Amino acid sequence: MNVLVIGACNVNDSIYSLARDESIQPPIVAGAGKMSSGHTPYVHSVQEAIQLVRYVREAIDIPKNVRRYVFTDQDFFPRGLGSAFDEADIVLFEFSTPLEIEFGAYRLNRNELQRRLIIPLSKAVPSLARPLGEWFHDGILKGNPERTAAAARELAGLQHDLVDAPEWRELFCRVRGRLLNKAEIVDFLHQLRTMFDARFAVVKPSLRYTPDGRGWGWPLAFMDQLEDACSELGLPLLDFDGVVRRYGPEAALMPDLYHHKPGFTGFLDEILRFTREVALK
């Protein structure tokens, strides 16, 4: 059973743990094993996923100066890797967020934007930490164009060699965060699903938990919108939070109370049950 994961670390890690378990019959094959990283490049949003599939199949190009904000490996080039996506029996899409980080025609990865722009600039020039935080955390990540534009104007007005670098100035001026509405979630999920002949299923993102065990997600409406979208499209949906509620956040999750503990059997058993169920549909 060849399972291709498109998403972030939680589901990828579970599938690759199962693929290493020789006792599982029929065996799980990790669909992106041909890639040098051993997994698909991480994505969080549905348009990031569509962009990734098109890029791996060499239907689009992503310039290197943009790739560094899209992939952890900025030299990632998919020559000959399209078959890894075409040979899957099951595609699992981990839909983490309705937030799209738009840079013209491209969709950026929030972690790479933070790692390659926000953190180094804030460390190099501490006085930039506040406007950068307002631009990224209060503007882009909250899908607030007014806050993004106001912070971008402040950053554009600062006189510093780093801020004046053409590439970074263009990012400040053009990058925007946008929250998809319910109709767009349905439309883009349908587009992604039709890119594969394989069985296709969606993984609902895990909630974040507080130390006293309360779970919360953001934006609040997204979880219900995703359930409704999958119901409308007839897509199987896996919700890992039942596992967290069953075993408790401290047992199932890392200290950040969001990421799954590597190799935790509750998650592995659930995703194995789910993939077998999807395979029979």
Side-chain angles (χ1 to χ4, degrees):
M1 186 162 53
N2 187 318
V3 181
L4 175 71
V5 175
I6 299 177
C9 56
N10 281 338
V11 180
N12 265 295
D13 290 348
S14 292
I15 288 297
Y16 290 101
S17 291
L18 293 173
R20 291 190 293 268
D21 188 342
E22 296 180 356
S23 70
I24 295 175
Q25 295 297 325
I28 297 289
V29 176
K34 295 179 181 179
M35 298 188 181
S36 59
S37 62
H39 60 74
T40 53
Y42 291 156
V43 301
H44 299 101
S45 73
V46 65
Q47 285 188 288
E48 280 182 82
I50 292 170
Q51 174 180 259
L52 172 64
V53 176
R54 296 182 69 204
Y55 181 66
V56 168
R57 288 177 173 162
E58 300 182 55
I60 61 169
D61 182 41
I62 303 176
K64 187 171 182 177
N65 68 311
V66 178
R67 284 204 305 270
R68 65 195 310 265
Y69 304 108
V70 175
F71 305 124
T72 300
D73 177 8
Q74 65 185 16
D75 294 319
F76 172 63
F77 188 76
R79 183 172 289 115
L81 292 176
S83 61
F85 279 25
D86 297 333
E87 295 168 358
D89 300 309
I90 297 173
V91 177
L92 296 181
F93 171 49
E94 184 180 9
F95 198 157
S96 297
T97 178
L99 176 73
E100 300 289 352
I101 300 180
E102 302 175 339
F103 182 50
Y106 305 106
R107 298 298 176 264
L108 307 185
N109 182 299
R110 66 192 186 203
N111 291 346
E112 299 311 317
L113 189 59
Q114 185 167 18
R115 186 167 73 92
R116 298 185 187 275
L117 178 69
I118 305 303
I119 292 175
L121 264 183
S122 297
K123 287 183 176 179
V125 189
S127 62
L128 294 179
R130 181 192 55 77
L132 282 170
E134 292 181 357
W135 180 77
F136 185 65
H137 295 287
D138 299 334
I140 289 172
L141 294 189
K142 292 185 178 178
N144 188 324
E146 291 79 15
R147 292 294 297 275
T148 305
R153 285 193 296 271
E154 181 176 354
L155 287 164
L158 296 175
Q159 299 299 313
H160 195 284
D161 290 344
L162 288 176
V163 179
D164 286 336
E167 177 184 313
W168 286 352
R169 185 170 288 276
E170 184 180 17
L171 288 169
F172 295 142
C173 293
R174 294 183 57 202
V175 172
R176 293 291 183 269
R178 187 171 70 85
L179 292 169
L180 300 182
N181 59 37
K182 163 70 181 306
E184 290 173 315
I185 289 171
V186 172
D187 181 47
F188 288 123
L189 258 183
H190 175 69
Q191 287 185 40
L192 180 62
R193 192 269 168 273
T194 56
M195 298 175 87
F196 296 95
D197 292 329
R199 294 174 176 84
F200 186 92
V202 178
V203 180
K204 188 177 176 182
S206 295
L207 295 175
R208 295 181 183 273
Y209 282 81
T210 60
D212 61 358
R214 290 177 292 117
W216 61 278
W218 186 89
L220 294 175
F222 174 56
M223 301 299 184
D224 291 338
Q225 290 174 334
L226 182 56
E227 288 185 8
D228 291 346
C230 289
S231 177
E232 183 173 330
L233 294 170
L235 298 176
L237 179 66
L238 172 60
D239 184 355
F240 272 134
D241 273 303
V243 175
V244 179
R245 291 190 297 271
R246 191 179 317 139
Y247 292 94
E250 290 188 0
L253 302 175
M254 298 282 280
D256 64 4
L257 297 180
Y258 174 64
H259 290 96
H260 298 179
K261 280 186 178 177
F264 183 70
T265 56
F267 292 126
L268 298 184
D269 290 346
E270 183 67 8
I271 199 166
L272 180 60
R273 178 203 63 75
F274 182 74
T275 52
R276 285 173 169 169
E277 186 177 283
V278 170
L280 295 174
K281 289 185 180 295

